[in-house]
Amino acid sequence: MRYTEDETGLMNNFAVEPKMYEAEPPTGTEKRNYIILGSVAATLVVGLFAVAAAVSSLPLAISRKVAEEQIAEVRRSPKRT
């Protein structure tokens, strides 16, 4: 391990650096797999947004129906004085 030591005796350790190498470009099969995985991921994200939109509008539709039923019930009931 590499280190330095100053005149007061304090040590400073340095990490061992790994050897550098050049990355190899992806093969045709790897490129195809990246395209397939990207399209699957995009489909999942779009599906999640669609489900979120459908679920978020559901309570609004239910509450609107309940409110309409309550208004109709109030209109049918006799007036109180």
Side-chain angles (χ1 to χ4, degrees):
M1 178 172 272
R2 300 176 187 163
Y3 65 93
T4 59
E5 188 173 346
D6 65 5
E7 60 275 350
T8 61
L10 292 176
M11 295 177 66
N12 191 3
N13 293 326
F14 296 98
V16 177
E17 296 180 7
K19 292 182 180 179
M20 298 295 291
Y21 65 93
E22 289 187 26
E24 298 175 6
T27 64
T29 304
E30 290 174 334
K31 288 179 184 179
R32 186 194 72 217
N33 290 343
Y34 293 151
I35 291 171
I36 291 170
L37 289 174
S39 62
V40 168
T43 303
L44 286 174
V45 169
V46 169
L48 286 173
F49 274 106
V51 168
V55 171
S56 67
S57 64
L58 186 62
L60 180 62
I62 292 173
S63 64
R64 185 178 295 154
K65 183 178 178 183
V66 169
E68 289 172 355
E69 290 173 356
Q70 289 175 347
I71 291 171
E73 184 179 327
V74 167
R75 288 181 179 164
R76 282 185 299 226
S77 65
K79 291 185 178 181
R80 297 179 193 170
T81 57

